[in-house]
Amino acid sequence: QVQLQQWGAGLLKPSETLSLTCEVYGGSVSDSYWGWIRQPPGKGLQWIGEINHSGARHYNPSLKSRLTMSVDTSKNQFSLNLSSVTAADTAVYYCARVFGSAVLRLDLWGQGTLVTVSS
Amino acid sequence: EIVMTQSPATLSASLGDRATLSCRASESISSNLAWYQQKAGQAPRLLIYGASTRATGIPARFSGGGSGTEFTLTISSLQSEDVAVYYCQQFNDWPPDYTFGQGTKLEIK
């Protein structure tokens, strides 16, 4: 049974870089695309982007200039970096598996990490 | 960007009622739509993909329909454990920018 476990710093100051990592248990990071989604407190879900093991990346255009995603196949992990954070980046961040070929869905989710940006 | 619009924002229904949630896409997305359920303090859970296919372990009272720009999620007989926020998400955009609807909060009346 494939599971995702995520971690990263929960409190950042404005202008710092948000860094989160998600590890794949019971499966291989080489099998799928992997996505990141965030949810500001009390609000809805926002698609951040996705990456696969060969480095193909697709980013939300509104975040693209600050966003970097990577995959480490040796550790079965994938990561998210978001630079120059502001209070508007405060959210719960989720990692997820983008499953399927013709019919896509986010079928597995990490537990979520609350990231707060505050001076 | 494909904009996903859900209605109503909040739905109040009684136990045992049939509840219908709607999702509209700003352009045709064929059947490239998923529905998720998010309970308070939890990560979202996949309910429906491909507009109408139930995910593994999802009760049969949940069903999805529609194609093109208009979609529905129906709960045939509302249970107390169905209280949650429901989101739709499209997977039709290229390059991928898989936008979500703003959510429908389902309450028990």
Side-chain angles (χ1 to χ4, degrees):
Chain A
Q1 181 180 354
V2 183
Q3 294 183 335
L4 304 179
Q5 181 76 27
Q6 61 180 101
W7 65 89
L11 181 61
L12 297 174
K13 291 182 168 51
S15 79
E16 292 185 333
T17 295
L18 180 159
S19 293
L20 297 173
T21 298
C22 189
E23 185 160 344
V24 180
Y25 291 92
S28 173
V29 76
S30 299
D31 288 345
S32 293
Y33 271 85
W34 304 92
W36 291 94
I37 302 95
R38 70 181 183 179
Q39 184 171 37
K43 296 189 177 180
L45 302 168
Q46 181 185 26
W47 174 258
I48 297 173
E50 65 174 3
I51 187 170
N52 74 359
H53 70 282
S54 62
R57 302 168 178 86
H58 304 114
Y59 295 160
N60 182 321
S62 69
L63 299 170
K64 187 175 183 178
S65 63
R66 300 190 290 130
L67 200 53
T68 304
M69 293 183 185
S70 60
V71 170
D72 187 335
T73 55
S74 68
K75 295 182 179 179
N76 225 23
Q77 296 172 353
F78 59 103
S79 298
L80 167 73
N81 279 2
L82 182 66
S83 64
S84 305
V85 297
T86 70
D89 296 311
T90 294
V92 175
Y93 287 74
Y94 295 100
C95 59
R97 183 172 71 173
V98 185
F99 190 74
S101 52
V103 182
L104 301 177
R105 60 273 196 190
L106 304 179
D107 69 328
L108 294 173
W109 293 67
Q111 78 277 19
T113 301
L114 174 60
V115 177
T116 302
V117 181
S118 175
S119 56
Chain B
E1 173 185 307
I2 298 176
V3 177
M4 306 301 292
T5 304
Q6 292 186 240
S7 61
T10 303
L11 179 59
S12 294
S14 300
L15 293 175
D17 278 358
R18 182 184 188 90
T20 300
L21 290 65
S22 296
C23 177
R24 173 178 292 178
S26 60
E27 62 185 81
S28 178
I29 59 169
S30 187
S31 295
N32 296 312
L33 184 99
W35 289 94
Y36 305 90
Q37 176 192 65
Q38 186 179 34
K39 296 182 179 180
Q42 297 184 15
R45 176 176 73 146
L46 175 68
L47 295 176
I48 301 285
Y49 62 93
S52 61
T53 302
R54 269 192 307 277
T56 303
I58 301 304
R61 66 180 182 274
F62 290 91
S63 63
S67 66
T69 61
E70 301 284 343
F71 301 87
T72 57
L73 173 69
T74 300
I75 308 172
S76 61
S77 179
L78 195 59
Q79 306 297 305
S80 58
E81 61 264 33
D82 300 334
V83 168
V85 179
Y86 292 82
Y87 294 94
C88 61
Q89 182 189 23
Q90 63 80 17
F91 286 95
N92 199 71
D93 216 356
W94 187 265
D97 183 15
Y98 299 140
T99 46
F100 291 90
Q102 79 279 19
T104 290
K105 184 177 182 180
L106 181 58
E107 302 176 335
I108 300 296
K109 194 182 294 184

